[in-house]
Amino acid sequence: MEKTTFTKLFTPFDNQADARFAQLRQSGRECFGAAALPTTRTEDWRFTNISPITATPFTLANNVHARVKLDSDHPTVLFVNGRFAKQAPESIGASAEIGSLARATTKLSQLARIASDRDSPFTSLNTSFLNDGAYVVVPDGNVIATPIEIRFHSLVEGNAPAIHPRTLVVVGKNACVTIVERYSGNAAYFTNAVTEIAVGEGAVVDHVKIQDESTTAYHIAHTAVVMGARSNFTTHYVSLGGALVRNEVRVRFDGEHAEATVNGLYLASGTQHIDNFTLIDHAQPNCASHELYKGILDGKSHGVFNGKIFVRKDAQKTDAKQTNKVLLLSDDATINTKPQLEIFADDVKCTHGATVGQLDPLQLFYLQSRGIPLDQARRLLTFAFANDIVGRLKIEALRDELEQRIVR
Amino acid sequence: MNMLTIKNLHARVADKDILRGINLDVKAGEVHAIMGPNGSGKSTLAGVLTGKDAFEVTQGEVLFEGKNLLDMDPEERAGEGIFLAFQYPVEIPGVTNSYFLRASVNAVRKHRGEPELDAAAFLKIVKQKMKILHMPEDLLKRNVNEGFSGGEKKRNEIFQMAVLEPRLAILDETDSGLDIDAMKAVAEGVNALRSKDRAMIVITHYQRLLDYIVPDYVHVLAEGRIVKSGPKELALELEKHGYDPIKMTVPA
Ligand SMILES: Nc1ncnc2c1ncn2[C@@H]1O[C@H](COP(=O)(O)OP(=O)(O)O)[C@@H](O)[C@H]1O
Ligand SMILES: [Mg+2]
């Protein structure tokens, strides 16, 4: 099947798509056509076999957005099967523009500039189907107090569709915003998401991604971030669902004295496969990056952490720290970790570390000796491990939600 | 009726025989001290009574309130009212004392068929016990034993005991590593819990603690057997003469 499972959909897709992004789609398709799909011989994909995806005869998603309800106590934009469905409230005043990319008026020149179509064939594939997506623009100096949520929900009836959610976030100078991206769905489908985030000079962006796809879905995501001078970006990248998952987070420093925190939490059981690829590009001096990924693997699941840090020649005084910790809850779960530090500057501080462990029998016995049943003790200790990440989330409702998912 | 009956208990760990025929009867209201040199099997006995699975019981029987204790999981034993103050309390990063204690109290209540406590009711009980034991205000927010000094850990064990109100409390060297003031505080906490319905087994290496927690009986454990039992004065004798003369009276 290979690429044709996607390319055969180009024409039918264009028949119902807007001409607005036709040119971007075209350049995406050229890029996709020229690139080879990754195999396990491709260095950055060594531990992930995508053939279940390329072997699936995908369809275009149905337009069923009217049937999905939206309730939320903070500004939320809902997309169903990749199409804008609704948002609440309609507008959040002049403080920020949020909504559908199809109706966006400014900053569209940033599209496909933050995430390059050459980064991965799946990125150019997403651009090949660009028609709609989420759009958040925060003008210079604006501070948005409530989180803005972007929800991509897949509602599948019949054959598995390939859905290509796209998000563009542009945050102006000294502006401040919290963005929550959420992915969910029923049944079998393929989500191929690209999120582009431009963090302006001195801006502060707090990003959370909750990937809660169905356990039969495929999910490939590329989150690309470009950071201006003195800006601050934090992401908490949480993976719960999906049969085969590949997360790419690429952060590039485009100005000095910026700071990025890239944290991840991935939970897998059954035969789930979750691959985390991160690339922190210290292209400028005096920047700091902190990376902490934690994985909890049960059943016969398979986790991958592949963390790249580039420190370019002129990026003196770089401070980069990378940590990957994995908790194996079963003997059949496996993890592959591969830190890759490529350092071309000499006055830098770069550290990395990885640990793989199991639940501590002494801790389990201590809890049991206090009356706590063994399975509850296991869940409690598992949550304690995850809480290192969950506890850092600033939004209490999300902390509670994740605690429920792990403890109960 | 005995609360606890230990009959000819043998246990091993890693193919090594450690307990070699322990017999002990404990009645409600009694405090038994178990003394003995390092490595004599005191912690092993505590571990076997609480169900630590590293220990393999090869012979004998333990009855708690007439029920076969050795058939129960550790959490069931706790539910039945057995509590161990650990010699080495375990640190649990990422779990707060309040979360842990509430999970524990409610698990024990559930075992007894009592309704769970809500957050407010739980807090009320806990605050009251904290006051009695002079526990620091921030205790509940801190992670279980994480970053605690040796003395704080031991006091936290006694605090948990006070909250759980067990029927049988086993204190494993709760005095070791404590300065005299900390030891007095711990002893005060323990004495406050002495009652006619509750029994205690106080394991200690030194006689010192027994000046503050005065036992009804003292037993000397050596090489996995109780080699001598007597009234509280036996502890003083041990203090004077050490364990060796007693050990020599062990029949081969
Ligand atoms: N997990 C274990 N593995 C091997 N040997 C052990 C283990 N636990 C205890 N022992 C051995 O059992 C004996 C009794 O230990 P313990 O009960 O801790 O003594 P005490 O508490 O009286 O100092 C010691 O010789 C000790 O080395
Ligand atoms: Mg001991």
Side-chain angles (χ1 to χ4, degrees):
Chain A
M1 202 76 63
E2 289 291 291
K3 282 184 188 172
T4 55
T5 184
F6 305 114
T7 54
K8 69 175 178 6
L9 301 174
F10 287 164
T11 307
F13 184 83
D14 287 346
N15 289 340
Q16 40 172 289
D18 211 306
R20 187 168 206 207
F21 297 113
Q23 219 175 335
L24 270 178
R25 283 199 292 272
Q26 190 48 40
S27 69
R29 288 168 194 183
E30 279 162 23
C31 216
F32 182 70
L37 287 177
T39 69
T40 50
R41 289 181 305 280
T42 311
E43 190 53 31
D44 290 341
W45 291 80
R46 259 177 62 197
F47 305 110
T48 297
N49 180 356
I50 60 157
S51 59
I53 297 178
T54 51
T56 306
F58 289 112
T59 60
L60 292 176
N62 292 331
N63 196 355
V64 290
H65 66 247
R67 275 187 261 141
V68 181
K69 274 210 299 245
L70 171 61
D71 39 25
S72 177
D73 60 2
H74 50 266
T76 302
V77 191
L78 172 69
F79 291 80
V80 177
N81 293 352
R83 283 172 225 229
F84 175 79
K86 54 197 93 166
Q87 72 185 70
E90 269 310 312
S91 139
I92 54 169
S95 55
E97 257 188 85
I98 65 172
S100 161
L101 207 46
R103 289 187 273 167
T105 52
T106 58
K107 307 289 181 192
L108 289 174
S109 59
Q110 300 267 32
L111 265 178
R113 289 283 179 80
I114 303 162
S116 165
D117 278 351
R118 274 174 292 278
D119 285 341
S120 151
F122 289 101
T123 307
S124 57
L125 180 64
N126 177 290
T127 307
S128 300
F129 290 93
L130 184 57
N131 185 44
D132 198 352
Y135 174 75
V136 178
V137 173
V138 185
D140 291 353
N142 283 3
V143 174
I144 316 292
T146 54
I148 294 171
E149 182 166 324
I150 300 163
R151 259 183 224 176
F152 288 102
H153 184 76
S154 299
L155 183 62
V156 179
E157 297 158 338
N159 293 336
I163 299 160
H164 306 272
R166 186 82 175 205
T167 300
L168 176 66
V169 178
V170 181
V171 183
K173 280 184 194 167
N174 302 316
C176 179
V177 68
T178 299
I179 306 276
V180 179
E181 266 185 83
R182 193 187 277 278
Y183 294 84
S184 59
N186 66 335
Y189 54 92
F190 172 35
T191 298
N192 177 40
V194 173
T195 300
E196 301 183 86
I197 304 174
V199 187
E201 280 180 29
V204 178
V205 175
D206 192 0
H207 172 258
V208 181
K209 178 186 164 191
I210 309 279
Q211 184 273 95
D212 191 15
E213 305 274 30
S214 91
T215 50
T216 49
Y218 303 131
H219 180 96
I220 292 185
H222 175 187
T223 301
V225 184
V226 173
M227 299 182 62
R230 296 176 310 285
S231 67
N232 188 302
F233 173 78
T234 301
T235 185
H236 285 90
Y237 221 84
V238 180
S239 299
L240 303 169
L244 173 54
V245 176
R246 160 84 170 190
N247 297 313
E248 293 193 10
V249 180
R250 296 167 188 257
V251 177
R252 191 177 83 235
F253 291 105
D254 207 24
E256 296 189 36
H257 301 286
E259 184 175 355
T261 303
V262 177
N263 292 339
L265 174 66
Y266 50 105
L267 270 74
S269 58
T271 55
Q272 276 183 289
H273 177 101
I274 300 186
D275 177 339
N276 301 284
F277 172 93
T278 64
L279 170 61
I280 314 290
D281 187 353
H282 281 270
Q284 293 285 333
N286 294 306
C287 292
S289 63
H290 322 279
E291 208 176 340
L292 172 63
Y293 267 70
K294 297 194 98 171
I296 299 170
L297 305 177
D298 203 351
K300 290 182 175 154
S301 66
H302 186 192
V304 179
F305 176 78
N306 182 351
K308 276 194 185 184
I309 298 175
F310 285 153
V311 181
R312 310 232 174 222
K313 195 162 95 321
D314 298 324
Q316 301 297 1
K317 305 282 181 199
T318 286
D319 183 353
K321 184 168 192 230
Q322 178 189 92
T323 311
N324 180 243
K325 295 185 179 176
V326 178
L327 175 62
L328 295 178
L329 294 177
S330 98
D331 292 340
D332 298 324
T334 51
I335 175 73
N336 293 98
T337 56
K338 189 170 127 191
Q340 278 179 279
L341 275 54
E342 297 182 22
I343 302 169
F344 302 99
D346 47 24
D347 184 13
V348 302
K349 208 165 88 191
C350 290
T351 60
H352 71 90
T355 59
V356 179
Q358 287 161 325
L359 292 177
D360 180 350
L362 288 177
Q363 292 180 340
L364 284 170
F365 178 66
Y366 192 69
L367 295 172
Q368 283 181 281
S369 80
R370 298 303 184 246
I372 299 171
L374 182 60
D375 62 318
Q376 190 187 346
R378 289 173 64 88
R379 276 177 282 141
L380 214 140
L381 292 180
T382 303
F383 180 70
F385 177 85
N387 204 19
D388 206 4
I389 301 286
V390 175
R392 292 171 205 240
L393 290 171
K394 295 209 180 73
I395 304 170
E396 192 186 353
L398 285 181
R399 290 199 303 270
D400 291 347
E401 179 187 336
L402 290 170
E403 180 179 330
Q404 295 285 336
R405 286 291 292 264
I406 301 167
V407 179
R408 267 147 255 246
Chain B
M1 189 184 115
N2 287 334
M3 177 187 277
L4 181 77
T5 307
I6 304 178
K7 275 190 226 156
N8 189 30
L9 183 66
H10 289 247
R12 51 165 47 184
V13 57
D15 288 337
K16 192 170 143 196
D17 291 321
I18 309 229
L19 300 184
R20 303 188 301 152
I22 302 247
N23 292 290
L24 183 68
D25 290 337
V26 178
K27 290 191 174 66
E30 293 176 349
V31 173
H32 291 243
I34 295 185
M35 304 183 71
N38 270 332
S40 56
K42 302 184 297 293
S43 293
T44 303
L45 176 61
V48 169
L49 293 178
T50 48
K52 191 169 177 172
D53 69 2
F55 303 118
E56 185 199 347
V57 174
T58 49
Q59 253 191 78
E61 178 177 50
V62 181
L63 297 175
F64 180 68
E65 320 249 65
K67 294 181 195 163
N68 183 353
L69 192 67
L70 301 178
D71 275 353
M72 298 181 203
D73 289 331
E75 56 265 38
E76 274 183 274
R77 302 182 197 202
E80 291 292 316
I82 292 185
F83 179 91
L84 170 63
F86 282 56
Q87 182 174 6
Y88 304 108
V90 179
E91 297 191 10
I92 310 186
V95 179
T96 61
N97 277 300
S98 106
Y99 197 106
F100 162 66
L101 261 184
R102 195 166 156 216
S104 165
V105 167
N106 281 335
V108 168
R109 289 180 70 93
K110 197 169 164 194
H111 181 91
R112 294 183 190 149
E114 293 165 9
E116 295 196 354
L117 290 180
D118 63 22
F122 166 75
L123 213 60
K124 201 174 149 203
I125 293 176
V126 160
K127 290 263 162 155
Q128 184 197 342
K129 306 280 181 182
M130 276 172 73
K131 225 176 182 168
I132 298 172
L133 286 158
H134 313 291
M135 301 304 285
E137 274 297 316
D138 64 350
L139 175 85
L140 294 177
K141 279 191 229 127
R142 289 168 68 187
N143 288 336
V144 178
N145 293 325
E146 190 184 28
F148 283 32
S149 70
E152 281 179 313
K153 284 182 184 171
K154 296 300 178 86
R155 264 166 62 202
N156 195 24
E157 295 292 288
I158 301 307
F159 169 62
Q160 290 171 33
M161 172 170 109
V163 172
L164 289 173
E165 300 183 328
R167 300 267 292 127
L168 172 67
I170 304 163
L171 276 52
D172 191 359
E173 300 212 22
T174 300
D175 53 331
S176 63
L178 296 187
D179 62 31
I180 194 79
D181 289 333
M183 195 181 69
K184 279 184 188 166
V186 161
E188 201 183 313
V190 171
N191 286 329
L193 287 166
R194 283 181 80 154
S195 88
K196 64 176 175 20
D197 306 316
R198 185 170 289 134
M200 293 190 189
I201 296 176
V202 180
I203 293 171
T204 181
H205 190 64
Y206 304 103
Q207 179 270 335
R208 200 176 65 148
L209 179 70
L210 304 181
D211 287 343
Y212 299 95
I213 304 174
V214 181
D216 299 302
Y217 302 96
V218 175
H219 309 277
V220 179
L221 190 66
E223 293 173 359
R225 280 186 209 141
I226 290 177
V227 294
K228 196 162 176 135
S229 297
K232 62 177 187 286
E233 288 74 19
L234 178 58
L236 289 167
E237 218 174 290
L238 289 169
E239 179 80 349
K240 245 186 260 156
H241 305 297
Y243 293 111
D244 283 350
I246 292 162
K247 235 164 111 179
M248 279 186 283
T249 67
V250 179

Short mmCIF file of all heavy atoms in Angstrom, two decimals, chain A residues 255-274:
data_model
loop_
_atom_site.label_atom_id
_atom_site.label_comp_id
_atom_site.label_asym_id
_atom_site.label_seq_id
_atom_site.Cartn_x
_atom_site.Cartn_y
_atom_site.Cartn_z
N GLY A 255 16.52 33.09 19.73
CA GLY A 255 17.03 34.29 20.38
C GLY A 255 17.69 33.87 21.67
O GLY A 255 17.51 32.73 22.12
N GLU A 256 18.44 34.78 22.29
CA GLU A 256 19.19 34.42 23.49
C GLU A 256 18.32 34.49 24.75
O GLU A 256 17.25 35.07 24.76
CB GLU A 256 20.40 35.34 23.64
CG GLU A 256 21.39 35.18 22.50
CD GLU A 256 22.70 35.91 22.75
OE1 GLU A 256 23.15 35.95 23.92
OE2 GLU A 256 23.26 36.46 21.79
N HIS A 257 18.85 33.88 25.81
CA HIS A 257 18.24 33.93 27.15
C HIS A 257 16.80 33.42 27.18
O HIS A 257 15.96 33.95 27.90
CB HIS A 257 18.30 35.36 27.73
CG HIS A 257 19.71 35.87 27.85
ND1 HIS A 257 20.57 35.42 28.82
CD2 HIS A 257 20.40 36.75 27.08
CE1 HIS A 257 21.74 36.02 28.66
NE2 HIS A 257 21.68 36.82 27.61
N ALA A 258 16.54 32.43 26.39
CA ALA A 258 15.21 31.82 26.43
C ALA A 258 15.31 30.49 27.20
O ALA A 258 16.40 29.93 27.34
CB ALA A 258 14.70 31.58 25.03
N GLU A 259 14.17 30.03 27.68
CA GLU A 259 14.16 28.83 28.50
C GLU A 259 13.00 27.91 28.09
O GLU A 259 11.85 28.35 28.04
CB GLU A 259 14.02 29.23 29.97
CG GLU A 259 14.10 28.05 30.92
CD GLU A 259 14.08 28.48 32.38
OE1 GLU A 259 14.08 29.70 32.66
OE2 GLU A 259 14.03 27.58 33.24
N ALA A 260 13.33 26.66 27.83
CA ALA A 260 12.29 25.70 27.44
C ALA A 260 12.26 24.54 28.42
O ALA A 260 13.29 24.01 28.82
CB ALA A 260 12.57 25.16 26.04
N THR A 261 11.04 24.15 28.80
CA THR A 261 10.85 22.96 29.64
C THR A 261 9.99 21.99 28.85
O THR A 261 8.86 22.32 28.48
CB THR A 261 10.15 23.33 30.96
OG1 THR A 261 10.95 24.32 31.61
CG2 THR A 261 10.01 22.11 31.86
N VAL A 262 10.54 20.84 28.57
CA VAL A 262 9.82 19.85 27.77
C VAL A 262 9.65 18.61 28.63
O VAL A 262 10.61 17.87 28.85
CB VAL A 262 10.59 19.53 26.47
CG1 VAL A 262 9.87 18.45 25.67
CG2 VAL A 262 10.76 20.80 25.63
N ASN A 263 8.45 18.43 29.15
CA ASN A 263 8.19 17.28 30.01
C ASN A 263 7.19 16.34 29.34
O ASN A 263 6.28 16.79 28.66
CB ASN A 263 7.62 17.72 31.35
CG ASN A 263 8.65 18.46 32.19
OD1 ASN A 263 9.86 18.32 31.97
ND2 ASN A 263 8.18 19.25 33.13
N GLY A 264 7.38 15.07 29.54
CA GLY A 264 6.48 14.10 28.92
C GLY A 264 6.09 13.01 29.90
O GLY A 264 6.85 12.66 30.80
N LEU A 265 4.88 12.52 29.73
CA LEU A 265 4.42 11.37 30.52
C LEU A 265 3.73 10.43 29.56
O LEU A 265 2.82 10.85 28.83
CB LEU A 265 3.44 11.85 31.60
CG LEU A 265 2.76 10.75 32.43
CD1 LEU A 265 3.78 10.01 33.29
CD2 LEU A 265 1.67 11.35 33.33
N TYR A 266 4.15 9.19 29.52
CA TYR A 266 3.48 8.24 28.63
C TYR A 266 3.14 6.97 29.38
O TYR A 266 3.93 6.42 30.12
CB TYR A 266 4.30 7.95 27.37
CG TYR A 266 5.75 7.59 27.57
CD1 TYR A 266 6.19 6.28 27.42
CD2 TYR A 266 6.70 8.56 27.89
CE1 TYR A 266 7.52 5.94 27.58
CE2 TYR A 266 8.03 8.23 28.07
CZ TYR A 266 8.44 6.92 27.91
OH TYR A 266 9.76 6.59 28.10
N LEU A 267 1.87 6.56 29.20
CA LEU A 267 1.35 5.37 29.87
C LEU A 267 0.92 4.38 28.81
O LEU A 267 0.11 4.72 27.95
CB LEU A 267 0.11 5.73 30.68
CG LEU A 267 0.27 6.18 32.12
CD1 LEU A 267 0.82 7.59 32.18
CD2 LEU A 267 -1.06 6.12 32.82
N ALA A 268 1.44 3.18 28.87
CA ALA A 268 1.05 2.20 27.87
C ALA A 268 0.80 0.86 28.53
O ALA A 268 1.44 0.49 29.51
CB ALA A 268 2.14 2.08 26.81
N SER A 269 -0.17 0.13 27.97
CA SER A 269 -0.42 -1.23 28.44
C SER A 269 -0.83 -2.05 27.22
O SER A 269 -0.82 -1.55 26.10
CB SER A 269 -1.53 -1.23 29.50
OG SER A 269 -2.69 -0.66 28.97
N GLY A 270 -1.21 -3.31 27.46
CA GLY A 270 -1.58 -4.17 26.32
C GLY A 270 -0.43 -4.26 25.34
O GLY A 270 0.71 -4.52 25.73
N THR A 271 -0.73 -3.99 24.07
CA THR A 271 0.34 -4.03 23.06
C THR A 271 0.62 -2.64 22.52
O THR A 271 1.16 -2.48 21.42
CB THR A 271 -0.05 -4.96 21.89
OG1 THR A 271 -1.32 -4.50 21.38
CG2 THR A 271 -0.19 -6.40 22.33
N GLN A 272 0.28 -1.63 23.28
CA GLN A 272 0.51 -0.25 22.84
C GLN A 272 2.00 0.02 22.59
O GLN A 272 2.87 -0.51 23.29
CB GLN A 272 0.04 0.73 23.92
CG GLN A 272 -1.44 1.04 23.89
CD GLN A 272 -1.77 2.06 24.97
OE1 GLN A 272 -1.75 1.74 26.15
NE2 GLN A 272 -2.07 3.28 24.57
N HIS A 273 2.25 0.88 21.63
CA HIS A 273 3.61 1.28 21.30
C HIS A 273 3.66 2.80 21.30
O HIS A 273 2.91 3.44 20.56
CB HIS A 273 3.98 0.72 19.92
CG HIS A 273 5.34 1.14 19.44
ND1 HIS A 273 6.44 0.31 19.51
CD2 HIS A 273 5.78 2.31 18.92
CE1 HIS A 273 7.51 0.95 19.03
NE2 HIS A 273 7.14 2.17 18.66
N ILE A 274 4.50 3.37 22.15
CA ILE A 274 4.58 4.84 22.22
C ILE A 274 6.02 5.27 22.05
O ILE A 274 6.90 4.91 22.84
CB ILE A 274 3.99 5.37 23.55
CG1 ILE A 274 2.51 4.96 23.66
CG2 ILE A 274 4.15 6.90 23.62
CD1 ILE A 274 1.78 5.53 24.85
#
